[in-house]
Amino acid sequence: MAAHEATMVSAISSRRLDIGSSEQDSMPRVAGPDVLEPRAFQCEMLEESVRRNVIVALVWFLAPNVALAAQQEKVISAQIPSVQTRLLLGSDNTETWSEQWIWDDMLKGISVVVSTHQILLDALIHGFIQMSELSLMVFDEAHHCVAKHPASRILKEFFHPCFAEDPSKAPAILGLTASPVVNSNVARLGELEHNLQAISRTPKKNREELLRYVHRPRLVKIAFSTQGSSEVAIDLDRFRNDLDIEQDPYVRHLKAEDPDLRDIRKLSEAYLKRKTYCQEQLKNLYNKAKIIEQDLGTWAVHWYLTACFEKFQASCDNVSAGFASLDLDEKLYLRQCLDIFMARTFQDPPNPYASVFLSNKVVRLIDFLEEEQKPGLAGLVFVKTRAEVAVLSKLLSNHPRTAGSYTVSTFVGASNAASHRQWISDLVDVRDQIDTLDDLRAGRRNLVVTTSALEEGIDVTACNVVVCFDKPANLKSLIQRRGRARQSKSTFAAMLAEDEDPSLIASWEHLEKNMRELYEDDMRRLQELEKSEEAEAGHRELVVERTGARIVLQDAVSHLHHFCATISTRQFGGLAPLFDIQEQAGNFTASVSLPISVDASVREAHGLSAWKTEKNAKRDAAFEAYAQLYRAGLLSDNLLPLRGYDEDVQEAKAPVGSIASLVQVSGQFNPWHTVARQWDSDETMSQLHAFDIELRYKSETTATMRMLIPCNLPAIPPVNLYWDASNTFTATVQQSIAVQFGSSHVESAIACTSLLLSSVFASRMDAKKTDFVALFTPSTTHDGHKWNERFNGTIKGDHLQHLDMSSVSPSKFGIVRENGARYILKGIQDGSSQIDEVSSEYDSAGNERPYILLQVSRFPKRSDFLHPVSIQNQQSARRTFQALLQAKDCEIDRLPLAYARFAAFVPSILHRMGLRLTAAHLCASLLAPVHFEDLELVVTAITTSAAQEPTNYQRQEFLGDSVLKFLTSLTLVSEHLRWHEGILSHAKDHIVSNASLAKAALSTGLDRFIQTRTFTGSKWRPLYVSELLECPAGEPRELSTKTLADVVEALIGAAFLSEGFDEAMNVLKIFLPSVPWASVRDRNETLFSAAEQIPIRYPSHYTQLEDLIGYSFTLESLPLEALTDSSFVGSNVSTSYERLEFLGDVCLDIIVSATSFNHSPPVPTHGLHLIRTAVVNAHFLAFVCLTLSISVPRNNVVTGSKPSEISLTETFVQQHIWSFLRHASPAIRRAQQDCIKRYEELKTPILEALEHGTRIPWALLARLEAPKFFCDIIESVIGAIYIDSHGSLAACEAFLEKLGVMGYLRRLLDGGVALYHPKEELGKLANTEKVTYEISMEDGGDGAGEKRLGCRILIGEREVLRVGDGSSQMEVETRAAEEAVQLIKSEKMEGVGVFDR
């Protein structure tokens, strides 16, 4: 037991729960919201306790004092936020809870109660709590469980009988102490073990680590000479005794009434013992003043009494403030007495810095502190009384030798009684010490003056200086105070009077000698262990013959850690193997558990042999685990974690493929080549397909022609034809009619086609060729010869003078031609009066004057009527092309203008037909397995923006991208049930990468169908069968790989819009045939069946989870998996949330993308991307995760004017979804707590911006700095809902509706909110100039030395602005960009700006 006492890491542990822990080690328990990060030897003690895997129903945590109880409740509620805790103290008036219903209601919904021992003892005594109702009792500072202490009584009087009657009904016991024996009576250890039914344990399996981390302080004795007198205190006591007792308000009150026997006794005590309230206050003040004057000196007592008087005087001025135990008369009388004493005693206050006015004890303390001062100092000074705490802290804070080096604070204990009497001698207000320990940890304070309150239990950061201003009262105090100095090279100083009993000094020196010898023995033991480990290990290796890679026993542990580290790249991964070491007959065996994100089949491994040291046992287990991973395919032949469970993983984990950004692709597919081949068929002439093309202007049909081709056409939507800026025609293609044609009919159609096209394109036609790919005849007559004879040729312009133009419309005439120019006849005028306006030149030699003039406008030269003409160009055309021509110089086509205009439109109409023919050919060939109800979806999918068609693939690509990722992720996660998220993500990236999709487009021949060329008609000439057959393919071209990939995704989106996920899956089977695509229903059932096999149930405190989520789960394993981090260690777990988060991410994406795509009116493509980015980004999702909560009822006791008047009030506490996250990561807990602080500060402005703002609060969300696991929680819950609902995206959407995600999405879709990220918007405002962000480090300005970030923005070489107080680079850059955008916009509105400077 001596070794245990010396190391101070012993623990009491119940045999039933068999648990132990250590307090006085290098990583202490942490008060407040900070986080535990245990060492391996601490984990060992915990593992001893959890072998039975007790599921807690009601845990009662017991602490020896109020301060420790309050601290532990704070820690527990912070560490396990998903459970409700309650702190019960005497100040809650629990002694008045005299009805069972009060206790029942107060503990309703509570999982953990923290109290002092007496609270639970009283509840057990009166039957309000039954021992069988508890599942676990935790005794902090368990060395109190002896003799007649309330902790001992709980065990003896209630636990032991319960255990004896039925052990299964008795709670488990966890006892925690650093010092099982706190006095010289070693027999108390047996009593302690008996009471707890426990054994004393100290770490064995990791003892060498314990020896490295537990430090013993250097012992220093500070000798001082004692103070001889207490003059001021004695004067105060003399003054008190001289007061006339008859004037005391208490005596006067007793004498004023008709006294009964009881009052007479009280009056007698007042006279004989001077027992009145005022006398007791003065006596208490005297006792404290005496100690201060003796220990601290004359100045100290002067300051102390003055401070007490001023504090009491202030309370008298405010009648309602403090000292409720004194009535008004007593207050006034006591103040009067103190006025008199202070006036006669403290006329000349002493100099606080003169040694003559300070005790030698204080001077020696200052000497010591001055010598010990160093960077990073953290110290405690223990004194006896609260009064000394106040005075000594004041003195050290202001003394010139310490004020510059020490920042001093105080800490005292709190009373457990609700009616604790207030004393005028008490200067310390416990409310002022709320931040004391946090400040000490953070380095804002480096010295705390305290009483015994900090001896045990309450967590204090590891200190390097501890001073006992007074000698410890007993061995317990010595051990516990010394244990506070647990930093390396720390000092434990004890102040002892020069005349102290030499035997005490000798005993201390003996203790120090024993400690040094024990420490040296431990170090020798450690060295011996290290030597024996190497000798025992021998030679053992795992060799891969193909590569020569080898791992030996000594390398196994480090390699296994490396493997675990590569499982996830998450910020708070912290994944590591956990070793379990067993000792039998002096030898050790070990097993190891890998993180829960590793598949269960290879998660556990056991060593093969027993070893003399635990290190070699760990190596053995690690070696077997690593060999097991290699056999399972998780390690490459180089024995590195690059491969997976099967052959597919090697490809999945390979680097994502790359391809040149621009690649040469096939020429653009010409659909008329296919038509030409059918003209060349022998069967063609027997039957042709006729299509009536009606040309309409507004509601009037201007011309109808019949087109003949040897094949059917897909449905052609109406084609808008832009004649000029203000006149638009529409060509409508009617359904085909099968027509029997003979050779004469074909010849007639050829003649009509030649006449029609030559009216506009004569110069581009080959007179020798008549094998047009498309023939045109009038639709109103089958006799093309007559039509051709009627409209063939021209007439002279002057023939019009013989016509009655008043009865003939100019539109009945054809194109007017003059010197090769083409015009449209608008009217005829008498030329005799307008000779000067005639555009032709005449000589003066008597040439004949014109008789009539033709009013004309220029016939368009352009052949592209698919793209609108701008108003500006049209106005210019009107000025240029309106004219008057001499009729005699003109010729006019017999073919009416309506047909000529139709001929001009033919290239545009054929282009649109060709686009549909291309899409139809694609559907009939490459996409034959896919059913498209609407061909326009395919047309859109294969059309790039460069083609300048009415639609392009961009919107469908946006949707198809989400569909592709969803189906890929669903396939991977269901096909490979053992893959962890790291492999899944890499495999998905490999499949959906642009390089992969571009290669698929090239290998399948999709590239030739992609429409990239803008139709201009400038070089259009009639299509001849012979030419098409001679040159079937177009010229090769270059396309970007992104365009190729985008078209594949657009086709996926088209299939999804046509028939849903299964049709989109058919597209994927064409382009990515190596992926094992299956129906979405089958994939969903696979995932559900796999989850159905996991026998996991809810813990009791997860009952509110479904109400919080708004979904009732069929499989309880799914929400637990969704809220289990990979760091979690424990039972009732299958795997971590990463796989569900992987699936939920794409579910969220497809919901947001589909909703945005389907919005009416349609959102432009760039808006779709911006909105999706705004909604699915991690910052926004983390914020909604922090916001999602449910109100949980909680009862509180309200005491009336009388203690017996008790009622309950129901209040509600918020239970947040993030609090249910199961993990064992100190970093995650710390990050949660830090983020919650920022959330409380930023919640209101962020909500205001989200609900009413005109901009997305990018800067505020960045300032929140929410860790990604908050976002992951949302996505993993979505994944859990998806699987549990058999693949219902509607159920997932309902959860998003509850979160407010869908509401915010609708707000963005409806407009009115600026979508650009500030940095992107600033880049647009800067135009071509470069935006530079210069980051600098700045002082936080809070005096704590915290560094903040500043950002300076330059546009070009000009500084725009600077901002500071940045918490991260992302946050400060976003905020700076946001302010820069506002500045530039405001200055531009004023006419000058940053660009004008």
Side-chain angles (χ1 to χ4, degrees), residues 1037-1325:
R1037 53 197 169 136
E1038 281 191 337
L1039 279 182
S1040 70
T1041 53
K1042 184 179 185 309
T1043 298
L1044 292 167
D1046 287 350
V1047 172
V1048 175
E1049 290 179 331
L1051 287 170
I1052 295 169
F1056 175 75
L1057 291 171
S1058 181
E1059 296 289 340
F1061 284 121
D1062 286 338
E1063 210 60 56
M1065 194 81 77
N1066 289 332
V1067 175
L1068 292 173
K1069 291 176 181 178
I1070 295 170
F1071 292 105
L1072 300 169
S1074 62
V1075 179
W1077 306 108
S1079 73
V1080 171
R1081 175 178 294 181
D1082 290 344
R1083 293 300 184 189
N1084 294 337
E1085 291 307 312
T1086 297
L1087 291 173
F1088 185 89
S1089 298
E1092 199 173 21
Q1093 305 304 314
I1094 303 173
I1096 293 180
R1097 308 293 295 173
Y1098 279 158
S1100 58
H1101 63 280
Y1102 272 54
T1103 53
Q1104 293 95 12
L1105 182 59
E1106 290 187 348
D1107 292 335
L1108 183 59
I1109 294 174
Y1111 177 84
S1112 296
F1113 283 92
T1114 303
L1115 306 178
E1116 293 184 359
S1117 64
L1118 287 169
L1120 280 183
E1121 180 181 332
L1123 292 163
T1124 300
D1125 182 73
S1126 55
S1127 66
F1128 180 72
V1129 179
S1131 59
N1132 206 34
V1133 62
S1134 58
T1135 187
S1136 53
Y1137 68 66
E1138 283 90 347
R1139 280 174 54 86
L1140 287 179
E1141 180 262 329
F1142 173 80
L1143 179 60
D1145 173 72
V1146 292
C1147 292
L1148 170 66
D1149 192 88
I1150 190 62
I1151 290 171
V1152 171
S1153 298
T1155 302
S1156 302
F1157 185 91
N1158 292 325
H1159 184 265
S1160 182
V1163 179
T1165 306
H1166 74 278
L1168 291 174
H1169 285 283
L1170 291 172
I1171 289 172
R1172 181 167 65 184
T1173 299
V1175 175
V1176 306
N1177 81 84
H1179 295 295
F1180 172 69
L1181 293 176
F1183 178 77
V1184 299
C1185 177
L1186 287 162
T1187 305
L1188 180 61
S1189 64
I1190 189 173
S1191 295
V1192 179
R1194 182 183 178 101
N1195 293 323
N1196 293 305
V1197 170
V1198 177
T1199 305
S1201 57
K1202 297 180 181 180
S1204 59
E1205 296 178 355
I1206 294 176
S1207 61
L1208 290 181
T1209 60
E1210 185 179 57
T1211 59
F1212 291 89
V1213 296
Q1214 295 303 115
Q1215 188 80 51
H1216 291 81
I1217 189 171
W1218 60 264
S1219 68
F1220 287 91
L1221 180 65
R1222 304 193 300 175
H1223 67 88
S1225 169
I1228 288 179
R1229 180 66 66 221
R1230 189 179 298 111
Q1232 284 178 330
Q1233 293 158 358
D1234 292 343
C1235 186
I1236 292 303
K1237 293 178 183 177
R1238 296 191 295 270
Y1239 169 76
E1240 293 299 331
E1241 175 188 349
L1242 298 170
K1243 172 176 62 175
T1244 300
I1246 291 177
L1247 282 175
E1248 176 66 23
L1250 293 177
E1251 294 173 0
H1252 307 292
T1254 58
R1255 304 183 64 85
I1256 298 171
W1258 293 111
L1260 288 172
L1261 290 170
R1263 196 169 186 85
L1264 180 62
E1265 289 186 89
K1268 188 177 179 296
F1269 60 76
F1270 285 107
C1271 164
D1272 292 344
I1273 289 172
I1274 298 300
E1275 293 177 337
S1276 62
V1277 170
I1278 294 173
I1281 293 174
Y1282 180 83
I1283 295 176
D1284 189 79
S1285 63
H1286 298 271
S1288 171
L1289 288 174
C1292 300
E1293 185 174 341
F1295 173 57
L1296 293 173
E1297 194 72 59
K1298 183 178 179 67
L1299 281 170
V1301 172
M1302 300 307 294
Y1304 188 57
L1305 173 59
R1306 287 190 292 272
R1307 184 165 186 261
L1308 296 181
L1309 289 170
D1310 290 340
V1313 180
L1315 300 174
Y1316 281 109
H1317 190 279
K1319 294 181 72 172
E1320 187 178 0
E1321 188 171 5
L1322 182 60
K1324 289 181 175 293
L1325 289 173

Side-chain angles (χ1 to χ4, degrees), residues 502-521:
S503 63
L504 176 63
I505 298 175
S507 66
W508 280 41
E509 291 175 343
H510 180 69
L511 176 61
E512 182 183 14
K513 178 182 177 183
N514 290 341
M515 290 171 59
R516 187 180 299 111
E517 290 176 351
L518 181 60
Y519 178 73
E520 292 171 353
D521 288 344

Side-chain angles (χ1 to χ4, degrees), residues 27-321:
M27 187 59 65
R29 292 168 300 175
V30 178
D34 290 343
V35 184
L36 284 163
E37 188 164 9
R39 300 285 186 188
F41 60 84
Q42 295 169 318
C43 293
E44 173 195 334
M45 301 302 289
L46 177 62
E47 290 163 7
E48 285 290 317
S49 71
V50 297
R51 299 191 186 282
R52 292 182 55 210
N53 295 325
V54 176
I55 297 179
V56 174
L58 180 60
V59 174
W60 205 293
F61 195 106
L62 296 157
N65 56 60
V66 171
L68 181 54
Q71 172 195 273
Q72 297 292 18
E73 192 278 333
K74 186 178 181 182
V75 171
I76 292 169
S77 60
Q79 300 298 316
I80 319 175
S82 61
V83 304
Q84 285 205 58
T85 63
R86 184 177 287 283
L87 176 64
L88 295 182
L89 302 175
S91 57
D92 294 317
N93 294 310
T94 53
E95 69 274 8
T96 65
W97 297 4
S98 57
E99 300 291 339
Q100 182 67 50
W101 64 269
I102 300 175
W103 287 90
D104 292 344
D105 286 352
M106 286 297 288
L107 299 181
K108 183 179 180 181
I110 302 298
S111 298
V112 180
V113 178
V114 183
S115 77
T116 56
H117 302 99
Q118 191 64 50
I119 298 290
L120 178 58
L121 178 60
D122 290 343
L124 290 167
I125 289 173
H126 297 291
F128 297 127
I129 300 293
Q130 302 298 319
M131 188 60 66
S132 59
E133 295 173 340
L134 308 181
S135 63
L136 173 65
M137 285 193 298
V138 181
F139 289 87
D140 201 6
E141 304 300 332
H143 50 264
H144 290 285
C145 298
V146 294
K148 296 182 180 180
H149 192 279
S152 179
R153 293 187 60 192
I154 291 171
L155 293 165
K156 290 178 179 178
E157 299 176 22
F158 297 96
F159 172 73
H160 288 179
C162 180
F163 185 79
E165 180 180 348
D166 185 351
S168 65
K169 293 183 179 180
I173 304 295
L174 167 58
L176 303 171
T177 181
S179 311
V181 178
V182 292
N183 54 40
S184 58
N185 185 1
V186 180
R188 281 289 175 88
L189 177 59
E191 180 185 357
L192 185 63
E193 291 181 328
H194 175 265
N195 288 346
L196 287 166
Q197 292 196 352
I199 57 175
S200 177
R201 284 190 179 274
T202 193
K204 297 178 181 178
K205 305 168 189 176
N206 296 280
R207 182 164 179 79
E208 63 266 42
E209 184 185 37
L210 170 65
L211 297 177
R212 292 189 182 97
Y213 287 111
V214 176
H215 309 287
R216 293 169 180 79
R218 174 176 63 99
L219 179 60
V220 174
K221 297 183 291 294
I222 304 174
F224 63 91
S225 60
T226 57
Q227 188 91 353
S229 62
S230 305
E231 296 178 1
V232 175
I234 293 173
D235 191 26
L236 175 60
D237 191 45
R238 187 182 301 116
F239 173 79
R240 180 183 68 87
N241 288 321
D242 290 345
L243 290 175
D244 184 359
I245 196 67
E246 293 290 345
Q247 299 303 315
D248 193 294
Y250 181 68
V251 174
R252 293 171 59 186
H253 171 73
L254 291 176
K255 292 176 67 175
E257 299 178 357
D258 186 14
D260 56 17
L261 182 59
R262 183 180 302 171
D263 291 337
I264 293 173
R265 289 177 178 172
K266 291 180 180 179
L267 193 58
S268 177
E269 285 186 350
Y271 282 122
L272 295 175
K273 301 180 181 179
R274 304 185 74 84
K275 191 174 182 180
T276 71
Y277 289 115
C278 292
Q279 284 285 326
E280 288 184 345
Q281 287 284 349
L282 290 172
K283 185 177 181 179
N284 180 270
L285 184 62
Y286 155 72
N287 291 331
K288 298 296 190 300
K290 180 180 178 181
I291 295 173
I292 289 173
E293 189 171 9
Q294 290 178 341
D295 280 356
L296 305 180
T298 306
W299 173 87
V301 74
H302 273 252
W303 182 87
Y304 172 67
L305 291 175
T306 301
C308 290
F309 172 71
E310 291 175 349
K311 180 180 179 182
F312 181 66
Q313 189 178 42
S315 72
C316 293
D317 294 338
N318 184 0
V319 178
S320 62

